[in-house]
C-alpha cells in the first residue's frame, strides 16, 4: 500500500522535466554509460558506495486483463513495452514486484474482480498500477486513491508510469491523444507488444463510438469515435504477417462506425487489408452495431464471402422490443436488425451471426421479453451472449426504475434455457471442412481450429497442426463446438509467411533495440523487424 510519504502526482510532467531522459533514451543510452567513481574520503581506507534502493527496469511484473479484445490488445502493447525496457513479465503473481491490472467497466462483476485484485495486491505489499476503462471513467473512486493510473489513450507511456510506481510515486495519465486539436485513435500501432497468442494479431481500428447508449459505461472511458488511418492499419497487418501471424482480429467498440470521423469507411479498410492476407491466413471482423452496417450491406456481403475472411459477424441486438431499444437509445429498431441478419444470411450462405441480449433492462415488460425470446426462436443464434442487466454508476439507465432482481434472474435463466434447447451444429456431422488451427483448448486435450464460418472445431493435439490449415471430417457436434478428424493423405498447409514468434517474444522491435546490452541481458527474447 502507498506509504504516508508517497506523493500523488497528477501527471508525469509534474515530476519529469524537459531535460530528463525519456525511457526510450534510457534504453538506447545504457550501452554507453560508464560508471563514475566517487571521490574517496582520504580518512577512510574503504570506499562505501551509495545507491538508490530502487532501480526501475529490473522488477518482475504480473499483468491481468479483463474484458474485450480491444482491452486485450492494449494489454499486449503494455507488456511489450515493459519487456523491451528491461522489466520481466511473469505469469506468477506471487513472485511479481508490481501488479498491472487492466480493467473492464462493462459489468459490475468485472469491476468487482478488479477491485478485489487491488485489495489482494495491497495485502501482499505489491506495487499496483491500474489501467483500462474503470479508472479512465472514474479515476476518483475511493479504492483507486493513491494508485498510479494509465489512461486508455496513454498506454504508450506505461514504462514511465511503472518506473515511477516502483519508486513509490503515484502518477496518473488520463489525457487524450490529439493532433492539431483532433482526437486520435490512441497510441501508435507500431509499439512493441507481446501477443498472448503468437499466431493471432489483435488490431484496434478505432476507439470510442457514435452512440450514447443509456446503460453503457464504456463510453465514459473510450469517448467519441476516433479512427486510425487506413495506411497505419494496413502497415500493422503487414508487420504482423511478417512475424508469423496467421489470423487477424479487428476490434473496436463499434467496427461498423470505422472511418466516419476521417472520411473513409469499413469496406474501404477491409478491401485494403484483404490484399495483405497471405493464402490460408484469415481475418475476423469484430462487433458492429446495426445502424452503421446497414449502410454497407452489399459490400460487406462480398467481403464476408472472401476466402480469407471469416463469414462471421457479431451484431448485438440487446432486445427485440422497440420500446426497450428506444429507452436504451440504441438508434435502431428490431426490424433493422432483421434486415441485417436476413440480407447477410441470404448473400453469405452459412454465415454465423452472433448477438448479445440484455435481460431485465429498466422498464422491460413480460411482453417485451417475449419479443426477445421470439427473435431467438426465429434465428436460433449459434453464438448468443446473455447478460443480466447491471446498472452502472453514472449512466442514465442507473436512474431508471429497475426491474426486480428476481425477475431479472428468472428472465436470464429462461433465455439461457431456450438457447440451450437447440443444437446449431448437428447437421454438420459428416461434412468435410478446411480449418485453421490457432489455439489450445481450455482442458489442454485438443487444438482449437475454426472453419470458414468461425465455428470452433476441436482437432487432435498434434504439434504439426499448430498454425496450419488442415482438412477434417466432422464426426461430433456439441452446443459450442464441432470435432474434426484429419483426413488421411490430406495436405497440411502453412499460411504463415514467416516463422511465428515464440511465446512471450516481443513483437515490433527495431534493430537498434537489439544493440542495448541491458535489454539482451534480461533473457527476454527479441526479434528485429
Amino acid at each position: 500500500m502507498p506509504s504516508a510519504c508517497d506523493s500523488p502526482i497528477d501527471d508525469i510532467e509534474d515530476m519529469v522535466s524537459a531535460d530528463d531522459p525519456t525511457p526510450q533514451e534510457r534504453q538506447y543510452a545504457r550501452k554507453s554509460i560508464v560508471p563514475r567513481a566517487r571521490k574517496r574520503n582520504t580518512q577512510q581506507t574503504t570506499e562505501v558506495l551509495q545507491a538508490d534502493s530502487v532501480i526501475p527496469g529490473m522488477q518482475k511484473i504480473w499483468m491481468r486483463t479483463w474484458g474485450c479484445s480491444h482491452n486485450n490488445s492494449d494489454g499486449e502493447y503494455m507488456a511489450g513495452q515493459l519487456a523491451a525496457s528491461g522489466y520481466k513479465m511473469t505469469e506468477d503473481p506471487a513472485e511479481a514486484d508490481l501488479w498491472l491490472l487492466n480493467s473492464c467497466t462493462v459489468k459490475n462483476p468485472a469491476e468487482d474482480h478488479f477491485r478485489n485484485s487491488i485489495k489482494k495486491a495491497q495485502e501482499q505489499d505489491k506495487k499496483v498500477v491500474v489501467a483500462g476503462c474503470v479508472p479512465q471513467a472514474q479515476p476518483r473512486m475511493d479504492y483507486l486513491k493513491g494508485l498510479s493510473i494509465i489512461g486508455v489513450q496513454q498506454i504508450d507511456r506505461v514504462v514511465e508510469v511503472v518506473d515511477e510506481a516502483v519508486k513509490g510515486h503515484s502518477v496518473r495519465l488520463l489525457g487524450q491523444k490529439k493532433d492539431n486539436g483532433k482526437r486520435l485513435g490512441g497510441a501508435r500501432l507500431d509499439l512493441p507488444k507481446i501477443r498472448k497468442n503468437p499466431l493471432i494479431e489483435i488490431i484496434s481500428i478505432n476507439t470510442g463510438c457514435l452512440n450514447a447508449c443509456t446503460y453503457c459505461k464504456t463510453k465514459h472511458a473510450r469517448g467519441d469515435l476516433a479512427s486510425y488511418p487506413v495506411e497505419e492499419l494496413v502497415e500493422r497487418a503487414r508487420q504482423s504477417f511478417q512475424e508469423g501471424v496467421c489470423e487477424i482480429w479487428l476490434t473496436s467498440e463499434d467496427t461498423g462506425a470505422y472511418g466516419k470521423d476521417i472520411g473513409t469507411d469499413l469496406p474501404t479498410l477491409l478491401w485494403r487489408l484483404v490484399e495483405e492476407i497471405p493464402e490460408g491466413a484469415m481475418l475476423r471482423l469484430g462487433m458492429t452495431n446495426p445502424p452503421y452496417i446497414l449502410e454497407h450491406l452489399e459490400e460487406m456481403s462480398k467481403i464476408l464471402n472472401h476466402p480469407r475472411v471469416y463469414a462471421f459477424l457479431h451484431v448485438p441486438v440487446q432486445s427485440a422490443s422497440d420500446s426497450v431499444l428506444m429507452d436504451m437509445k440504441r438508434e435502431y429498431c428490431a426490424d433493422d436488425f432483421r434486415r441485417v441478419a436476413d440480407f447477410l444470411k441470404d448473400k453469405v450462405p452459412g454465415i454465423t451471426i452472433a448477438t448479445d441480449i440484455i435481460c431485465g433492462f429498466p422498464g422491460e415488460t413480460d411482453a417485451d421479453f417475449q419479443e426477445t425470446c421470439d427473435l431467438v426462436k426465429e434465428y436460433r443464434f449459434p453464438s448468443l451472449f446473455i447478460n443480466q442487466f447491471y446498472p452502472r454508476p453514472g449512466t442514465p439507465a442507473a436512474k431508471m426504475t429497475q426491474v426486480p432482481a428476481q425477475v431479472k434472474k428468472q428472465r436470464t435463466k429462461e433465455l439461457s434455457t431456450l438457447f440451450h434447447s437447440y443444437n446449431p451444429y448437428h447437421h454438420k456431422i459428416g461434412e468435410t471442412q478446411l480449418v485453421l488451427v490457432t489455439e489450445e483448448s481450455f482442458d489442454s486435450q485438443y487444438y482449437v481450429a475454426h472453419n470458414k464460418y468461425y465455428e470452433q472445431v476441436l482437432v487432435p493435439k498434434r504439434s504439426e497442426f499448430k498454425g496450419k490449415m488442415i482438412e477434417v471430417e466432422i464426426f461430433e457436434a456439441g452446443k459450442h463446438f464441432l470435432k474434426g478428424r484429419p483426413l488421411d493423405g490430406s495436405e497440411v498447409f502453412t499460411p504463415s509467411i514467416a516463422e511465428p514468434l515464440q511465446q512471450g517474444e516481443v513483437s515490433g522491435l527495431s534493430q537498434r533495440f537489439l544493440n542495448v546490452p541491458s535489454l539482451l541481458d534480461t533473457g527476454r527474447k527479441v526479434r528485429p523487424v
Side-chain angles (χ1 to χ4, degrees):
M1 294 182 66
S3 66
C5 64
D6 288 343
S7 55
I9 302 171
D10 290 331
D11 207 328
I12 198 82
E13 284 83 0
D14 295 338
M15 164 155 290
V16 182
S17 73
D19 298 325
D20 288 334
T22 66
Q24 289 77 18
E25 290 169 337
R26 187 181 75 212
Q27 294 162 7
Y28 305 142
R30 281 176 177 170
K31 63 176 182 176
S32 60
I33 292 176
V34 178
R36 185 172 59 188
R38 289 177 178 271
K39 292 183 178 180
R40 287 180 179 271
N41 185 329
T42 55
Q43 296 181 350
Q44 291 182 329
T45 57
T46 303
E47 181 181 14
V48 178
L49 296 177
Q50 302 294 326
D52 291 338
S53 59
V54 177
I55 303 175
M58 303 177 66
Q59 290 73 24
K60 294 181 179 180
I61 298 175
W62 177 70
M63 184 169 67
R64 170 78 188 274
T65 294
W66 291 265
C68 64
S69 296
H70 194 163
N71 228 31
N72 277 277
S73 175
D74 288 351
E76 291 181 349
Y77 275 120
M78 288 191 285
Q81 292 170 84
L82 290 166
S85 189
Y87 288 101
K88 180 180 179 183
M89 305 305 296
T90 177
E91 298 294 322
D92 183 1
E95 74 169 11
D97 302 292
L98 181 145
W99 288 13
L100 175 51
L101 304 174
N102 189 20
S103 63
C104 170
T105 192
V106 172
K107 293 188 287 188
N108 289 9
E111 184 173 349
D112 291 342
H113 285 302
F114 170 63
R115 182 170 53 246
N116 291 337
S117 294
I118 292 174
K119 183 179 179 182
K120 186 174 181 180
Q122 292 170 332
E123 289 172 348
Q124 298 180 30
D125 290 327
K126 306 291 186 182
K127 301 289 186 182
V128 181
V129 172
V130 295
C133 291
V134 171
Q136 180 73 51
Q138 293 181 287
R140 300 185 188 279
M141 295 288 285
D142 285 343
Y143 69 88
L144 299 177
K145 188 175 182 180
L147 298 181
S148 289
I149 297 176
I150 303 165
V152 294
Q153 286 210 319
Q154 298 291 331
I155 60 170
D156 56 335
R157 302 179 69 184
V158 61
V159 175
E160 297 171 73
V161 177
V162 169
D163 279 355
E164 297 306 323
V166 298
K167 292 189 288 188
H169 302 136
S170 176
V171 180
R172 298 187 167 203
L173 298 181
L174 295 165
Q176 304 294 324
K177 299 282 187 209
K178 294 184 178 180
D179 181 18
N180 294 323
K182 182 177 175 59
R183 187 165 176 263
L184 301 176
R188 298 195 332 266
L189 294 171
D190 60 352
L191 296 168
K193 72 188 302 187
I194 297 177
R195 298 186 183 95
K196 187 175 181 181
N197 183 336
L199 297 174
I200 298 175
E201 167 73 0
I202 306 172
I203 303 179
S204 301
I205 63 174
N206 56 266
T207 191
C209 69
L210 294 172
N211 298 337
C213 300
T214 56
Y215 57 82
C216 182
K217 189 72 177 175
T218 305
K219 177 79 172 188
H220 296 187
R222 298 283 182 178
D224 293 327
L225 178 70
S227 305
Y228 285 99
V230 170
E231 291 303 325
E232 290 183 20
L233 294 165
V234 171
E235 180 55 36
R236 182 67 209 179
R238 189 179 294 128
Q239 178 193 321
S240 302
F241 290 126
Q242 291 169 354
E243 293 178 337
V245 161
C246 61
E247 186 169 290
I248 283 184
W249 297 356
L250 300 186
T251 184
S252 77
E253 283 65 59
D254 187 351
T255 58
Y258 170 79
K260 283 185 169 292
D261 58 318
I262 58 173
T264 186
D265 56 36
L266 182 62
T268 299
L269 170 65
L270 294 177
W271 283 125
R272 288 293 312 280
L273 288 172
V274 162
E275 297 173 4
E276 302 294 332
I277 304 174
E279 183 181 355
M282 298 296 289
L283 181 147
R284 190 193 82 175
L285 186 59
M287 186 272 287
T288 175
N289 284 311
Y292 307 110
I293 206 67
L294 273 169
E295 302 174 22
H296 308 300
L297 283 179
E298 191 68 50
E299 281 300 294
M300 289 304 300
S301 67
K302 296 175 184 176
I303 292 165
L304 293 169
N305 272 311
H306 193 283
R308 294 193 288 277
V309 179
Y310 286 118
F312 168 89
L313 201 60
H314 179 193
V315 188
V317 65
Q318 304 301 6
S319 173
S321 163
D322 286 347
S323 64
V324 172
L325 290 172
M326 187 177 298
D327 289 341
M328 290 178 172
K329 287 194 175 179
R330 290 291 287 169
E331 300 185 10
Y332 60 86
C333 62
D335 281 347
D336 289 334
F337 174 85
R338 286 186 170 90
R339 280 176 56 204
V340 172
D342 293 346
F343 185 93
L344 293 177
K345 285 168 74 70
D346 178 55
K347 299 291 186 179
V348 189
I351 187 174
T352 296
I353 295 179
T355 197
D356 300 359
I357 287 173
I358 295 174
C359 293
F361 186 80
E364 183 186 64
T365 65
D366 288 341
D368 294 329
F369 177 66
Q370 188 57 51
E371 288 186 80
T372 299
C373 291
D374 291 343
L375 184 80
V376 174
K377 291 175 184 176
E378 179 182 355
Y379 288 94
R380 294 167 67 90
F381 302 104
S383 182
L384 177 61
F385 303 95
I386 302 170
N387 302 292
Q388 180 178 317
F389 175 74
Y390 290 96
R392 300 297 289 131
T395 61
K399 300 175 183 178
M400 298 177 182
T401 302
Q402 303 296 306
V403 172
Q406 191 56 42
V407 175
K408 289 193 291 186
K409 288 181 182 178
Q410 180 58 36
R411 289 177 183 170
T412 304
K413 181 179 179 182
E414 185 177 332
L415 190 60
S416 297
T417 300
L418 171 59
F419 173 59
H420 285 92
S421 68
Y422 58 87
N423 187 325
Y425 303 132
H426 187 74
H427 66 285
K428 293 183 178 273
I429 293 177
E431 288 185 3
T432 298
Q433 299 180 351
L434 281 173
V435 298
L436 179 59
V437 184
T438 55
E439 302 172 72
E440 186 177 291
S441 63
F442 286 118
D443 62 6
S444 300
Q445 298 301 306
Y446 300 92
Y447 277 152
V448 178
H450 292 91
N451 58 20
K452 163 67 177 172
Y453 313 103
Y454 203 68
E455 295 161 339
Q456 182 173 267
V457 181
L458 303 180
V459 300
K461 192 176 176 182
R462 287 159 48 180
S463 58
E464 65 268 27
F465 290 162
K466 192 72 175 287
K468 305 294 193 292
M469 182 79 78
I470 65 174
E471 192 172 13
V472 300
E473 179 186 358
I474 303 302
F475 68 91
E476 184 179 333
K479 177 62 181 175
H480 302 286
F481 66 89
L482 299 162
K483 284 187 180 179
R485 183 185 296 113
L487 295 183
D488 292 336
S490 63
E491 182 182 359
V492 176
F493 182 78
T494 303
S496 299
I497 61 175
E499 186 70 21
L501 275 63
Q502 297 297 309
Q503 191 72 45
E505 190 171 354
V506 181
S507 154
L509 292 183
S510 62
Q511 182 64 42
R512 60 180 177 169
F513 270 91
L514 301 182
N515 296 326
V516 183
S518 60
L519 174 58
L520 297 178
D521 291 343
T522 64
R524 174 65 60 184
K525 304 184 186 75
V526 295
R527 176 178 296 186
V529 294

